[in-house]
Structures are given as C-alpha cells and as structure tokens.
Amino acid sequence: MRSRPGCSADVNLRRLPPAVLALLLQGAAFILMIALARFVPFPLTPLSFALLVGVLAAAFSHLAGQARWWVPIQFVFAPAQVAMLAVEVTPTLYLAIFLILLAVYWSTFRTQVPLYLSSNKVWRALEGLLPAEEGGRRFRFMDIGSGIGGVLAHLAQVRPDGDYSGVEIAPLPFAWSWLRLRLKPNCHVHWGSLWDCDLAQYDLVFAYLSPVPMAELWEKARREMKPGSLFISNTFAVPEFPPQQTVQVDDLHHSALFIWRM
Ligand SMILES: C[S@@+](CC[C@H](N)C(=O)[O-])C[C@H]1O[C@@H](n2cnc3c(N)ncnc32)[C@H](O)[C@@H]1O
C-alpha cells in the first residue's frame, strides 16, 4: 500500500542527519520571520529579528522531535551570528576555525560519531582481552574509527606480538595517527570508512563510536567476522543483543567494554 505523501515526507525528514534537519529548520524559521516581519508590533533590529528567528527555530526543533539539546542550540544560532558580526573579527579567522573543525570532525554531521578518546584505563583493560601469547603466532587487532591512534600505539607497545590496524575517516585525526604510528612496523592506519573494511581478517575488532551505528555495525560484524574472534565495543551496546561479557572500567566516564565472541 502506498503511503500518503504527507506521511512519507514526515518519515524522510526524520531520517535526515540531525544537523542537516536543524539547518533546514533554521532556514524555515528565517523565511517565516521575513514573511511575518511586517506584523511585528515593534521596530526590528538585526538582533531582535535574530532572536525571533531563534525562538521559531527552537520551537520547530522541538516540534520535529529533535533531541532536547538542539532547542538551545537552535535558539542561540542566529543571535550568535549577529553578535559575532558586531565584533568585527576578520573573516579569515572564521574560515581558519571552520577548516580546522572540518578536518577534525569531517562527516560527523552524517555519521553522528565525533572524535573523543578512550581512556588509558580502557587501553589497559584491552590488554587483558588480547589473545594469550602463543609461540610465534601473531594476532590481528583492528580499531574501527581509530581517532588519533592512541589505542593502537599503546597495545603495539605492550604486546608487540600482534599486528594492529586502524581506519579513520576524518583527515586530521588520521594524519596525526599516521605520523604517530609511522615508525611502528606492526601498526597500520588508513584513511577511509569503516564500512568499507573487511572485518574477516581480524582476531579482535574494537569500536568506540556512538549509539547511532551500533545496530548496523553488529550486522556487519556478524556477517564478516570469523568464528572465535572478538568484537569489543567501548561504552555503546548493541540494541537487542546483550554482550556475553562486560568489563567495567574505573575511569572518569565509567566506561564499559561490551564483548561478544563471534
Ligand atoms: C569516539 S572516536 C574513538 C577514537 C579511538 N578509537 C579511541 O578509542 O580513542 C570515534 C572515531 O571514529 C571516527 N569515525 C566515525 N565514523 C567513521 C567511519 N564511518 N569510518 C571510519 N572512522 C569513523 C571518528 O572520526 C572518530 O575519530
């Protein structure tokens, strides 16, 4: 049965990455405010206009069911632009900040997996999950979304009998990790998407991502990982598939390592 056009538009809107939806709602608030401007019973300054855009955008985000932190972000977005224009900072500075943030966060607006780092205590907990040393056999470890390469650098240092790989999509963290690991012969990072990696060759796959990709990632891991290999997720569980083992880590974030043997 075909869905009514109104329903499918609603569903498609909700499927947009939240940041893109937020931007569209800002645009809608701006256009609506232009249309409503002549009905406002007081003279509009750029700041009061921006504040009204903020109120509308915040209301739209709330009505669209966006996570609640979007409401204050939507409210301050337009007024903050007016305020920053008043400060008269050189546009080059904005461009430079934008380019740095782009290089660090890259496609986070789409993947919804930003850069944040596993703690040293997580690194040490991972040591205990690596296979026992067996005469001459090297194991293979993969960090999908390897950030600046801290997990790989640490494990390669303490367990040189493994081969460590990482894949990272954001250019600046990738470049940092590449520089950091280039002299370690048992570590390799490449620039690309974890969705293009074949997980079949690894004995352990480690992920520290976000709740968003976990269901799809679990399907990928089940499809590709070999029997007996370990899938380990820092902090983020797989919906409907409880882990076989959980290691609680006593760090600032109270991290937990969720572990599945495939
Ligand atoms: C939370 S950080 C974890 C960094 C590192 N694994 C650690 O534990 O310290 C997640 C990283 O995954 C990267 N990422 C997000 N989506 C990705 C994708 N589709 N392919 C590869 N990397 C991705 C992000 O750029 C970010 O650097």
Side-chain angles (χ1 to χ4, degrees):
M1 197 175 78
R2 290 180 62 187
S3 57
R4 285 183 298 130
C7 293
S8 65
D10 181 48
V11 168
N12 289 340
L13 210 61
R14 281 167 196 273
R15 278 197 186 155
L16 286 173
V20 175
L21 178 56
L23 198 59
L24 288 177
L25 296 174
Q26 274 291 333
F30 184 77
I31 291 168
L32 184 61
M33 205 46 235
I34 288 177
L36 294 179
R38 61 201 159 104
F39 302 112
V40 176
F42 51 85
L44 281 174
T45 62
L47 186 59
S48 57
F49 180 86
L51 281 166
L52 291 172
V53 169
V55 170
L56 284 177
F60 289 170
S61 274
H62 176 67
L63 293 174
Q66 290 211 283
R68 54 177 193 285
W69 57 81
W70 279 106
V71 173
I73 293 174
Q74 291 287 67
F75 176 64
V76 298
F77 188 76
Q81 287 180 63
V82 173
M84 291 312 288
L85 283 173
V87 177
E88 288 187 13
V89 178
T90 164
T92 321
L93 183 66
Y94 290 117
L95 180 64
I97 293 172
F98 171 74
L99 291 177
I100 291 169
L101 291 176
L102 182 68
V104 173
Y105 292 105
W106 203 239
S107 49
T108 296
F109 73 95
R110 195 164 41 80
T111 61
Q112 297 179 62
V113 182
L115 173 70
Y116 32 79
L117 305 177
S118 295
S119 64
N120 296 19
K121 288 187 175 173
V122 163
W123 301 351
R124 285 201 287 279
L126 282 173
E127 285 174 35
L129 298 168
L130 299 179
E133 287 185 53
E134 269 175 45
R137 187 188 173 272
R138 300 184 70 77
F139 61 87
R140 304 191 73 182
F141 178 100
M142 163 57 104
D143 182 0
I144 44 178
S146 43
I148 60 172
V151 172
L152 300 172
H154 174 80
L155 293 178
Q157 175 89 20
V158 294
R159 284 293 301 275
D161 57 321
D163 290 316
Y164 300 88
S165 302
V167 58
E168 172 55 50
I169 204 166
L172 200 58
F174 163 74
W176 184 326
S177 65
W178 185 85
L179 285 171
R180 178 180 198 178
L181 301 170
R182 73 193 185 288
L183 298 179
K184 292 188 189 291
N186 58 341
C187 277
H188 301 278
V189 276
H190 78 263
W191 186 21
S193 171
L194 65 92
W195 302 109
D196 298 328
C197 280
D198 180 7
L199 303 180
Q201 33 182 324
Y202 303 102
D203 300 294
L204 298 94
V205 172
F206 172 70
Y208 184 28
L209 298 171
S210 85
V212 177
M214 291 313 292
E216 197 180 344
L217 181 59
W218 173 246
E219 288 309 317
K220 179 177 169 63
R222 278 219 300 203
R223 244 186 349 261
E224 296 176 9
M225 289 180 68
K226 59 189 177 194
S229 57
L230 283 189
F231 176 62
I232 306 169
S233 171
N234 182 359
T235 302
F236 304 110
V238 175
E240 293 171 34
F241 290 94
Q244 291 144 6
Q245 191 190 342
T246 301
V247 174
Q248 286 297 339
V249 181
D250 177 25
D251 60 6
L252 265 184
H253 322 286
H254 306 290
S255 306
L257 294 179
F258 299 121
I259 303 158
W260 294 262
R261 191 167 287 282
M262 309 307 281

